Amino acid sequence: MSEYYWDSKIDYLSKTRWLYYNDDYFEFLVKNVWKITSPVRVIDFGCGYGYMGTKLLPLLPEESTYTGGDVGNKLIDHAKDIYKEAPYKTQFVLGDIQKVDFEQEYDIAVCHAFLLHVENQKEILQKMIGCLVDRGRIICFEPHWISGMSSYYLDGHNSSDVVQLGFLQKLYERDAQRSGKDGNVGIKIPVYLSQLGVRQIECRVSDKVNFLDPNSEAWKTEALYSSLKEDGFGADPGEEEPFIANLVNRGATYEEAQNEYKLESFLSKMFKNDAFLTYSANMKITTGVIER
């Protein structure tokens, strides 16, 4: 039996989640936007190591509960380890979230960077809706890759020398058409929820703008630089031939793939921890209320 891919990416997940949000923004959402004042039962679809629980539980009213579900046994074991000394009521379900049935007993159904990895986003959204009580709330934190790619500024370089937006937009669209998995799903979720009968739909964007500042403390600079590299910015693209072959298989022309390889190779050499860089992930945060 082959290893589940995300079970091998716990280190990556741990190093990159903090690039997306400031902690006070979570507090603002919980207290000022969603106005959660009574204990709630939360279920997290594709919970990974329970990241969303670590952000939400300290902000939710006492006696709130958190249930996380994921197919990765190492992720679930890591989540249990994280929460074993925490003063919260938690439960973790190991299994394919698409196949596990949940009772209609939760006040909040949440997912974070999960829908982009499935082919049937609307079906998963319907399943999330189905486990909510009347007036329950669905909350989806999902990416819009192309807006994230447009939000880099590397000092000393034109943005067009760092990211080929037009090419990447077409590439992502072709990927979605071919595989059904959509890295731009975050911007589409408000439409999907409305089509599924959800009401009071709102969509926001993650607030954090990361600033790599070589004039800052060395440990801060190194931590951010390491996380940005882990997230893929300035990463070594590897050997040219397989890189180009992969992009061609995804629908790129040979010239487009060759240009992308040259750009990423150049960026991997230029992006060092003494560079000035600003970057915003622009994660989309969509919520709505279920009326039964």
Side-chain angles (χ1 to χ4, degrees):
M1 182 177 178
S2 61
E3 182 181 31
Y4 176 57
Y5 174 78
W6 289 104
D7 270 341
S8 66
K9 304 297 284 185
I10 293 174
D11 191 50
Y12 156 76
L13 294 171
S14 301
K15 286 182 177 179
T16 57
R17 304 301 90 174
W18 72 288
L19 296 174
Y20 305 153
Y21 317 96
N22 291 303
D23 286 344
D24 57 3
Y25 191 58
F26 278 109
E27 183 174 12
F28 171 73
L29 291 172
V30 168
K31 297 183 178 179
N32 296 88
V33 180
W34 305 327
K35 297 179 177 156
I36 302 171
T37 57
S38 301
V40 289
R41 296 156 294 182
V42 180
I43 182 168
D44 186 355
F45 277 61
C47 69
Y49 65 85
Y51 166 75
M52 287 307 299
T54 66
K55 298 287 105 177
L56 294 177
L57 282 170
L59 303 171
L60 295 173
E62 290 187 16
E63 302 304 316
S64 292
T65 66
Y66 174 80
T67 298
D70 202 284
V71 72
N73 63 299
K74 291 182 181 178
L75 285 165
I76 291 295
D77 286 345
H78 189 56
K80 290 178 179 178
D81 188 58
I82 288 174
Y83 286 90
K84 66 182 179 182
E85 303 296 335
Y88 307 116
K89 295 180 180 179
T90 61
Q91 177 185 8
F92 293 95
V93 178
L94 175 62
D96 188 342
I97 206 75
Q98 304 203 50
K99 298 177 181 178
V100 178
D101 291 322
F102 296 99
E103 297 294 328
Q104 192 179 103
E105 61 184 11
Y106 297 94
D107 304 291
I108 294 176
V110 64
C111 65
H112 184 274
F114 173 61
L115 295 177
L116 80 158
H117 297 299
V118 301
E119 301 172 16
N120 54 337
Q121 297 97 353
K122 278 192 175 181
E123 290 179 21
I124 298 299
L125 289 169
Q126 185 64 72
K127 191 162 190 174
M128 294 174 70
I129 292 167
C131 71
L132 291 169
V133 299
D134 183 38
R135 307 300 299 171
R137 181 179 292 277
I138 183 171
I139 308 171
C140 303
F141 296 75
E142 294 288 338
H144 181 220
W145 277 352
I146 200 63
S147 64
M149 295 305 296
S150 71
S151 296
Y152 288 100
Y153 170 64
L154 181 62
D155 185 49
H157 302 278
N158 292 323
S159 295
S160 57
D161 293 332
V162 176
V163 177
Q164 294 187 91
L165 279 179
F167 164 69
L168 291 175
Q169 185 172 33
K170 290 189 292 183
L171 185 70
Y172 298 155
E173 290 169 350
R174 291 168 187 156
D175 284 344
Q177 290 165 3
R178 184 185 66 255
S179 71
K181 298 178 181 180
D182 189 356
N184 288 318
V185 69
I187 202 69
K188 303 173 184 179
I189 291 175
V191 176
Y192 294 167
L193 291 184
S194 182
Q195 291 171 343
L196 292 171
V198 178
R199 298 292 178 260
Q200 300 181 41
I201 298 168
E202 295 182 349
C203 188
R204 290 174 176 261
V205 66
S206 58
D207 69 316
K208 191 163 189 176
V209 179
N210 299 282
F211 176 38
L212 185 65
D213 181 5
N215 292 324
S216 183
E217 296 94 329
W219 67 269
K220 286 184 179 180
T221 300
E222 185 55 38
L224 179 54
Y225 175 75
S226 175
S227 292
L228 289 165
K229 291 280 280 191
E230 189 76 32
D231 208 36
F233 187 82
D236 184 350
E239 296 296 322
E240 182 174 5
E241 188 173 327
F243 180 94
I244 290 176
N246 175 59
L247 288 188
V248 169
N249 287 336
R250 292 167 62 186
T253 66
Y254 184 87
E255 183 179 3
E256 288 174 330
Q258 190 176 48
N259 287 339
E260 183 64 21
Y261 182 79
K262 290 178 180 178
L263 183 150
E264 293 194 25
S265 296
F266 170 77
L267 182 59
S268 70
K269 295 178 177 67
M270 292 299 102
F271 183 48
K272 306 296 182 183
N273 61 3
D274 61 353
F276 286 98
L277 175 84
T278 50
Y279 163 61
S280 175
N282 290 317
M283 291 283 283
K284 301 303 182 286
I285 307 166
T286 305
T287 184
V289 173
I290 312 307
E291 297 178 0
R292 300 200 182 282

